[in-house]
Amino acid sequence: MAQALRPNTVGGLFATDGKPHPLQDTLLAVTLVLGITSFVTAMFHSLHLLSSWTGLVGIVTGAYGQWISVTTRERFGLILGLGAAGVGFFLGMAHGGLFGGVFG
């Protein structure tokens, strides 16, 4: 029972199982960056193209990251990024959409 009390000191920041997960960590970082970018730019009406596209790509990368994620820490970060990307995407769509003002 002593092994249950030992802290996990091996592995990366998000890997709680002691194994490296470079693809999952990369998807986590990309989803967080895209989600934050989409969320922040959605607050400006004229940046709807940037917010809607970064939100859409953030949702896709976050969904794929959730599908292949291994640990709870990865999933937690991906959910934060997905939420920010979703809010930014929908606000960007409300302000003009993916192609608003480009073709007309």
Side-chain angles (χ1 to χ4, degrees):
M1 193 51 95
Q3 69 272 12
L5 300 176
R6 288 189 194 141
N8 184 11
T9 58
V10 181
L13 179 63
F14 300 110
T16 56
D17 60 352
K19 299 174 187 172
H21 304 120
L23 177 61
Q24 290 86 350
D25 293 342
T26 303
L27 286 171
L28 170 61
V30 168
T31 302
L32 283 173
V33 168
L34 289 172
I36 290 169
T37 303
S38 178
F39 184 77
V40 169
T41 57
M43 303 305 161
F44 303 99
H45 184 64
S46 61
L47 295 177
H48 63 87
L49 288 173
L50 182 61
S51 65
S52 59
W53 279 106
T54 55
L56 181 62
V57 174
I59 290 170
V60 170
T61 58
Y64 182 67
Q66 282 284 4
W67 186 47
I68 65 168
S69 67
V70 179
T71 65
T72 303
R73 289 183 186 177
E74 293 167 355
R75 292 182 189 119
F76 179 76
L78 285 166
I79 288 295
L80 291 177
L82 272 167
V87 169
F89 172 72
F90 286 124
L91 286 175
M93 292 300 287
H95 290 159
L98 296 169
F99 301 106
V102 175
F103 295 116

